[in-house]
Amino acid sequence: MNCLICKNSITPFVDFGKMPIANGFLVQDQIKDEYFFSLKVAFCEHCKMVQLTEQPDREKMFHENYAFFSSTSEYMKLHFKDFANSVIKLQSLTKDSFVVEIGCNDGIMIQNFKNQDIGHLGVEPSKNVAAVAKEKGVNVVSEFFDVTLAKKIISEYKKADAILSANVMCHIPYMHSVFEGIKELLKEDGLFIFEDPYLGDIVEKNSFDQIYDEHVFYFSALSVSKLAEMHNLELVDTIKQSTHGGSMRYVIAHKGTKEVSQSVKSTIENEISLGLDNKKTFENFANNVANIKTDLHAILSDLKAKNKKVVAYGATSKSTTVTNYCNITPDLIEFVSDTTPIKQNKLTPGAHIPVLPYEEFRKAKPDFVLLFAWNHAKEIMSKEAEFMQSIGAQWIVYVPKVEILNP
Ligand code: DWN
Ligand code: SAH
């Protein structure tokens, strides 16, 4: 196996076994044709990139029935409004400027540029979520971003003052084509700003559920700085984010055009002290994850033996790794509650646990609630606090360790 970035040889440090498409919610009739692949992660000792060794074809994941709609979280709406406003300020954007967002989903971030009358274009290959963005009046091209599309955007529009992306770069295996596209599309004084779940948090929190088919890369400043260099670009800033269980925002410019912030150096130093440049760190991570698997299965089996009612909250992509790797079957969890209509009344991928509308969660009065959407814990726990207390229910979490939280 060879690294997707530097082509050196790599070997997996963790194997989660056979996995279905993380967002492949399905009905009973589709079970016989369900697709599985091998979910394994490797660390490249040469360029420091952590990556999947196998990924399903992109058309199997991103299509006209994509199940994740970004605007299901009120907190994320605010986060992306702040992100957009910070870029408007940083690059002094006006209606004559041009902003491109790669993977704009339902328009959660790019709508803020549209609302302030700033020239913009969203790129979103999944047609159903792109349609929602278009309904908001946002300009969208429903294609996969790569160097070919970048050239098309330049010919049909112009070069960009800012290229943005959130939770998308880590989804794209053909990263060199993406960076070639960025290099072409970005104006000389432009900025490419993207954020993704941060490898440092994944390792520190044992958040193994960030690992699933869509997430091919697990970035650090160490790996991103090397990747940028390969394209004569430069990592000029790193800004830590609390979203999605801990993310990092990377600011990239044409080499030599911007001052490099002190934070790049300190982030890289911190990564070295965390061991993100050392394969032993990832071997430890694999051991911790195996312990979580044992503990989570044990706790759910114990609750079942005690006849407790256990349901889960948030049919996340991440939970596909949790249920399939930890052997969580419908006898351990009655159903998963989710507010997204396209997921409701379907079964979770691989584990086939029913997904029910939020109203059913309220009706069910569970004893325990396994929080799959733990990255939205603050938002969810505050809105459910009163209800959970009124029925005497308790949250179960598994990141950074398996725990039943006190009411
Ligand atoms: O990287 C990705 C991130 C940004 O989003 C994608 N590959 C896919 C997706 O990952 P995820 O599915 O793990 O994301 P979330 O944001 O953790 O998903 C939350 C789920 O929980 C959604 O299905 C909506 C649902 N939800 C809910 O039912 N009630 C969410 C909130 C906040 C709620 O109150
Ligand atoms: N930016 C949003 C959506 C993240 S989900 C947010 O942070 O909430 C990942 C998105 O990336 C999906 O909408 C998917 O369709 C899109 N995507 C996947 N590959 C892509 C590519 N090559 N170019 C652009 N978008 C892509």
Side-chain angles (χ1 to χ4, degrees):
M1 219 135 337
N2 294 93
C3 172
L4 287 164
I5 302 300
C6 72
K7 316 287 178 226
N8 279 285
S9 149
I10 51 172
T11 39
F13 59 83
V14 64
D15 181 352
F16 292 100
K18 290 281 166 212
M19 285 285 158
I21 298 293
N23 269 309
F25 296 89
L26 71 179
V27 293
Q28 199 73 35
D29 283 355
Q30 294 169 315
I31 290 178
K32 60 181 187 326
D33 301 320
E34 198 171 15
Y35 171 88
F36 288 87
F37 75 106
S38 249
L39 184 69
K40 293 183 200 164
V41 193
F43 164 66
C44 175
E45 292 192 61
H46 188 77
C47 75
K48 315 298 174 201
M49 190 65 85
V50 174
Q51 58 200 279
L52 296 189
T53 54
E54 193 181 315
Q55 195 190 28
D57 292 342
R58 63 189 191 179
E59 287 76 13
K60 282 195 162 62
M61 300 182 282
F62 310 116
H63 42 61
E64 65 289 351
N65 287 313
Y66 187 55
F68 176 68
F69 287 70
S70 301
S71 298
T72 39
S73 159
E74 290 305 316
Y75 179 81
M76 292 309 293
K77 285 190 204 166
L78 294 175
H79 171 77
F80 286 124
K81 193 172 184 178
D82 287 350
F83 188 165
N85 286 338
S86 73
V87 177
I88 293 171
K89 209 167 142 201
L90 191 65
Q91 291 292 77
S92 309
L93 301 179
T94 66
K95 69 173 182 19
D96 299 321
S97 310
F98 187 45
V99 178
V100 175
E101 186 190 349
I102 303 173
C104 69
N105 198 276
D106 61 9
I108 189 167
M109 172 147 72
I110 195 121
Q111 65 185 350
N112 295 290
F113 296 97
K114 184 248 154 198
N115 292 343
Q116 296 186 54
D117 207 21
I118 290 166
H120 66 274
L121 179 69
V123 177
E124 178 45 68
S126 299
K127 297 222 162 17
N128 59 334
V129 292
V132 176
K134 285 181 194 163
E135 278 161 26
K136 293 175 181 165
V138 165
N139 306 319
V140 186
V141 51
S142 197
E143 287 180 46
F144 288 94
F145 186 85
D146 59 10
V147 66
T148 310
L149 185 67
K151 287 181 179 158
K152 196 167 144 198
I153 294 174
I154 300 169
S155 69
E156 288 179 16
Y157 297 81
K158 52 187 175 182
K159 291 204 176 200
D161 299 274
I163 303 173
L164 309 178
S165 195
N167 309 303
V168 174
M169 283 301 117
C170 69
H171 294 62
I172 314 182
Y174 38 99
M175 205 24 67
H176 288 306
S177 177
V178 169
F179 268 67
E180 278 165 34
I182 301 287
K183 183 79 192 159
E184 298 251 356
L185 181 58
L186 196 65
K187 272 190 188 167
E188 192 49 28
D189 61 349
L191 289 176
F192 168 41
I193 311 178
F194 73 95
E195 62 185 37
D196 276 297
Y198 182 48
L199 182 64
D201 287 291
I202 295 173
V203 165
E204 280 196 315
K205 296 178 184 152
N206 299 317
S207 45
F208 67 100
D209 57 349
Q210 289 291 2
I211 299 166
Y212 57 91
D213 57 358
E214 293 182 21
H215 288 177
V216 67
F217 293 119
Y218 305 86
F219 295 127
S220 60
L222 275 163
S223 60
V224 169
S225 59
K226 288 191 196 330
L227 172 61
E229 265 171 38
M230 292 170 94
H231 294 272
N232 206 23
L233 293 161
E234 191 168 27
L235 178 63
V236 297
D237 206 358
T238 49
I239 310 163
K240 193 74 187 61
Q241 307 294 319
S242 62
T243 45
H244 289 303
S247 297
M248 186 63 84
R249 185 175 295 169
Y250 304 94
V251 183
I252 289 177
H254 288 286
K255 195 168 175 63
T257 60
K258 306 270 175 193
E259 201 180 318
V260 180
S261 150
Q262 182 58 31
S263 80
V264 173
K265 191 167 171 256
S266 57
T267 303
I268 290 179
E269 279 169 4
N270 188 45
E271 290 177 354
I272 292 169
S273 66
L274 265 176
L276 301 188
D277 60 340
N278 186 336
K279 75 172 189 204
K280 283 215 167 58
T281 307
F282 302 105
E283 287 160 6
N284 284 341
F285 170 82
N287 286 336
N288 295 344
V289 168
N291 290 335
I292 292 182
K293 169 182 174 154
T294 310
D295 293 351
L296 185 57
H297 197 271
I299 218 167
L300 294 174
S301 303
D302 180 53
L303 293 174
K304 184 190 167 190
K306 291 176 176 149
N307 272 324
K308 298 292 181 191
K309 193 177 188 72
V310 185
V311 305
Y313 199 107
T316 58
S317 323
K318 295 183 289 292
S319 64
T320 293
T321 299
V322 180
T323 53
N324 287 279
Y325 171 64
C326 305
N327 301 320
I328 300 176
T329 40
D331 60 322
L332 296 181
I333 289 181
E334 210 173 297
F335 65 86
V336 189
S337 158
D338 199 286
T339 54
T340 318
I342 196 173
K343 296 181 182 177
Q344 294 166 354
N345 302 312
K346 294 204 177 130
L347 303 170
T348 63
H352 308 148
I353 302 168
V355 181
L356 298 181
Y358 175 69
E359 295 67 44
E360 298 300 321
F361 168 72
R362 287 282 172 142
K363 278 191 219 152
K365 298 201 175 78
D367 299 305
F368 293 89
V369 186
L370 179 60
L371 185 58
F372 280 146
W374 60 269
N375 47 310
H376 302 295
K378 214 168 149 194
E379 176 175 352
I380 291 172
M381 286 184 180
S382 73
K383 75 181 167 193
E384 300 301 350
E386 212 179 296
F387 173 68
M388 294 284 284
Q389 204 171 19
S390 73
I391 59 167
Q394 282 174 275
W395 293 107
I396 305 173
V397 293
Y398 48 87
V399 169
K401 62 179 175 37
V402 178
E403 218 176 344
I404 294 180
L405 303 183
N406 285 327

